[in-house]
Amino acid sequence: MAEIVSLADAVAELVRDGDVVALEGFTHLIPVAAGHEIIRQRRRDLTLVRMTPDIVYDQLIGAGCARKLIFSWGGNPGVGSLHRFRDAVQNGWPEPLEIEEHSHAGMANRYVAGASGLPFAVLRGYTGTDLASVTSTIKQITCPFTGERLAAVPAINADVSIIHAQRADRAGNVQLWGLVGVQKEAVLAAKRSLVTVEEVVDELEPVDGGIVLPSWAVTRVAEVPGGAHPSYAQGYSERDNGYYAEWDPISRDRAEFEKWLERTRTTGVPA
Amino acid sequence: MTAASRAEVAVVACAELFRGDGEIVASPMALIPAIGARLARLTFEPDLLLSDGEAYLLDTEGRVEGWQPFKKVLDVVVPHGKRHVVMGASQLDRFGNQNISAIGEHAHPKRQLLGVRGAPGNTVNNRTSYWVPRHGTRVFTPAVDVVSGVGHDNAAKAGQAATRFHDLHRVVTDLAVLDFSGPEHTMRLVSVHPGVSVADVVERTGFELDTSAVTSTRLPDHDELRLIREVLDPAGSREREVAA
């Protein structure tokens, strides 16, 4: 059953050096505040997993929290590249970053397999590309029924999955709606999970298109209003487009980034 | 009305990519192909479905007409060929192999790119075209560093799982339209845009091109120009994606 705790306590308890950590959220509901807390607590050697790493992963990588990234797209949406990510891959700064590159479908299916309790997923994509020769987690498999050669990819079962949602009730049941990516699968697949929410309420009123993650599937809930900023939480906040543009010059320059890092480490948990 | 700009010629060439597609999802990954898809829908492909790239299907005025989050796309649309994707390419070779992953060796790249994204699945599951806003030898290379989207030679080598729905359609650039009907499914120059010579395209292409039957890319007609300028892109953003 999910327990409701502070963000700092949740990260301290759930995220350990060397863990495989997945922060999921697509376009909105990106758990940025939780990422900043991981930076503040100076976690290291993490294997970061995310279908579409954006600014928060650039920040975690630049802060030296990660040794490996599992992904299918890494960029600053609407702006361009992630320069901390590129600096780590190309120049090993501040730490060398190993990458495990998959396609979107490969990543989504790996989470689905993990959530389903299956060891791997099978798909047609990858055939004919160079990915199988550069990514060790893509293997060829022969369909026992048709003989077709297909790609197999292992389940992702993160040590801890972190997502942001609109709200939870006091028992720790979590409700999210709007554009939903693979958050449900990431949480169900993980050994431990943390959900930051805009608010904790007495009762979860049904919302069209919403999904509920039951309390038994969630380890910890932390109330963090605005915890998806600069992304948005539908029904609660708007996307801060300026932040994405302003990140570009910070990300391009190691000195500017280090100033940002110092500010982030010395400020407290967002109210 | 003033004569069509290079960007407007490219918009119409991108619209022509979708001719005959019918009721499938157009997934254009850049501005000019997106304007082209909307132009096709407003003119000769009224059944074309337009995605916002996130979760909605939109009409040409941006009104929501369907809910299609990406899991649905992966479950329902991609594996059934009901989609025509127009991707970009950091590198593209004569067989249509595309690289959007990394320049140089994958483990130690000179330039880490954004990642393969949907390319491995798109190219073996549904119709794929490419849009290259700056036609040059950096993009059109003899061999790509990391095959992300599958070209004809690699599809043939991989066998039925890759060839079954493999359907590389065309490449539109700021200079020309190309397809893969050259010898052994290699790239062929279909047409050059007004003001561009065949020699210009050959010079800016890093491999041998079939130039045996080159025509001129058609100009936008009066109605198309009006739609582009007054309805689809009144702010003129298209002119920033392609040099005049």
Side-chain angles (χ1 to χ4, degrees):
Chain A
M1 298 296 280
E3 201 179 306
I4 299 172
V5 298
S6 73
L7 176 58
D9 287 350
V11 168
E13 181 191 352
L14 298 182
V15 184
R16 301 157 195 170
D17 287 352
D19 272 355
V20 176
V21 180
L23 276 67
E24 281 295 348
F26 181 67
T27 301
H28 76 147
L29 300 179
I30 298 169
V32 179
H36 291 173
E37 186 57 31
I38 292 171
I39 290 172
R40 270 192 291 274
Q41 296 195 17
R42 297 178 190 255
R43 287 294 177 278
R44 297 186 56 79
D45 295 322
L46 302 178
T47 292
L48 294 176
V49 190
R50 178 161 165 72
M51 288 190 59
T52 52
D54 55 356
I55 288 179
V56 65
Y57 270 35
D58 207 33
Q59 295 167 336
L60 282 156
I61 291 164
C65 299
R67 65 161 199 88
K68 183 173 177 182
L69 176 69
I70 302 176
F71 78 116
S72 52
W73 173 91
N76 181 344
V79 177
S81 291
L82 297 177
H83 298 282
R84 292 301 91 227
F85 162 49
R86 286 182 55 176
D87 203 10
V89 173
Q90 294 172 199
N91 308 312
W93 193 95
E95 309 281 343
L97 184 73
E98 186 189 338
I99 60 172
E100 182 177 319
E101 185 172 0
H102 279 269
S103 69
H104 290 332
M107 290 293 291
N109 282 299
R110 293 185 68 182
Y111 280 120
V112 171
S116 309
L118 292 169
F120 69 91
V122 61
L123 60 162
R124 185 172 285 119
Y126 294 124
T127 311
T129 73
D130 281 342
L131 269 193
S133 65
V134 297
T135 300
S136 63
T137 48
I138 301 168
K139 302 285 187 204
Q140 287 280 304
I141 194 170
T142 302
C143 169
F145 305 105
T146 64
E148 189 177 1
R149 299 281 285 167
L150 297 161
V153 291
I156 291 174
N157 297 98
D159 292 308
V160 53
S161 286
I162 303 177
I163 66 167
H164 186 76
Q166 278 94 343
R167 57 197 185 196
D169 66 17
R170 299 194 193 283
N173 297 296
V174 168
Q175 187 183 37
L176 59 159
W177 64 87
L179 261 178
V180 174
V182 291
Q183 292 101 317
K184 178 182 74 179
E185 290 81 359
V187 166
L188 290 174
K191 298 185 182 79
R192 305 182 292 278
S193 59
L194 164 61
V195 183
T196 57
V197 295
E198 291 291 323
E199 61 174 339
V200 175
V201 296
D202 290 329
E203 186 114 7
L204 298 175
E205 296 292 334
V207 176
D208 278 350
I211 61 171
V212 171
L213 284 169
S215 177
W216 58 260
V218 176
T219 316
R220 294 289 179 264
V221 169
E223 191 175 38
V224 188
H229 178 268
S231 81
Y232 65 98
Q234 186 171 320
Y236 287 82
S237 59
E238 297 289 322
R239 190 177 192 267
D240 182 356
N241 293 319
Y243 186 105
Y244 288 86
E246 286 156 18
W247 181 250
D248 190 65
I250 299 170
S251 175
R252 280 178 188 276
D253 187 304
R254 288 180 186 174
E256 284 299 312
F257 173 75
E258 287 188 314
K259 280 191 242 168
W260 176 89
L261 186 58
E262 188 54 35
R263 282 199 303 276
T264 301
R265 280 180 171 153
T266 50
T267 53
V269 178
Chain B
M1 202 172 282
T2 54
S5 69
R6 182 65 59 77
E8 288 161 347
V9 170
V11 165
V12 169
C14 285
E16 286 288 344
L17 293 173
F18 301 102
R19 191 180 283 277
D21 277 353
E23 192 175 354
I24 65 170
V25 179
S27 295
M29 303 295 180
L31 179 71
I32 285 192
I35 300 171
R38 291 160 70 208
L39 181 64
R41 162 134 170 191
L42 278 175
T43 53
F44 53 80
E45 280 303 321
D47 292 334
L48 200 62
L49 299 171
L50 305 172
S51 163
D52 70 346
E54 292 180 356
Y56 292 111
L57 294 171
L58 305 176
D59 70 9
T60 54
E61 286 166 38
R63 282 186 299 253
V64 174
E65 60 180 14
W67 169 245
Q68 192 181 66
F70 76 87
K71 278 279 285 157
K72 283 270 190 298
V73 176
L74 293 179
D75 292 347
V76 180
V77 180
V78 173
H80 300 275
K82 295 293 182 192
R83 185 164 177 245
H84 185 167
V85 60
V86 185
M87 288 188 284
S90 299
Q91 294 180 322
L92 204 57
D93 72 15
R94 58 201 286 261
F95 292 104
N97 294 294
Q98 167 235 33
N99 175 19
I100 49 175
S101 169
I103 301 294
E105 192 200 333
H106 187 267
H108 306 283
K110 280 199 288 256
R111 200 176 154 81
Q112 172 66 44
L113 305 173
L114 297 181
V116 299
R117 294 160 259 177
N122 291 339
T123 47
V124 297
N125 280 304
N126 48 223
R127 176 167 271 202
T128 301
S129 293
Y130 291 104
W131 159 242
V132 178
R134 275 175 298 280
H135 193 130
T137 50
R138 279 177 63 163
V139 176
F140 291 93
T141 56
V144 307
D145 294 342
V146 183
V147 175
S148 313
V150 183
H152 284 284
D153 57 340
N154 281 314
K157 268 185 250 166
Q160 208 210 348
T163 54
R164 199 159 149 213
F165 302 111
H166 187 256
D167 183 13
L168 286 191
H169 185 51
R170 279 184 213 163
V171 182
V172 176
T173 78
D174 57 334
L175 302 182
V177 178
L178 309 101
D179 69 10
F180 296 92
S181 62
E184 298 169 75
H185 298 294
T186 53
M187 219 180 275
R188 180 181 74 98
L189 185 55
V190 174
S191 67
V192 289
H193 300 339
V196 178
S197 71
V198 172
D200 292 336
V201 177
V202 168
E203 190 193 320
R204 291 204 235 167
T205 304
F207 48 77
E208 200 181 331
L209 263 184
D210 181 342
T211 58
S212 54
V214 184
T215 62
S216 278
T217 310
R218 81 167 174 89
L219 286 166
D221 65 26
H222 186 273
D223 191 40
E224 287 170 331
L225 273 184
R226 183 188 61 77
L227 287 168
I228 294 169
R229 293 174 182 179
E230 294 171 18
V231 178
L232 297 173
D233 183 29
S237 303
R238 61 193 175 279
E239 302 297 336
R240 287 197 292 276
E241 196 163 285
V242 161

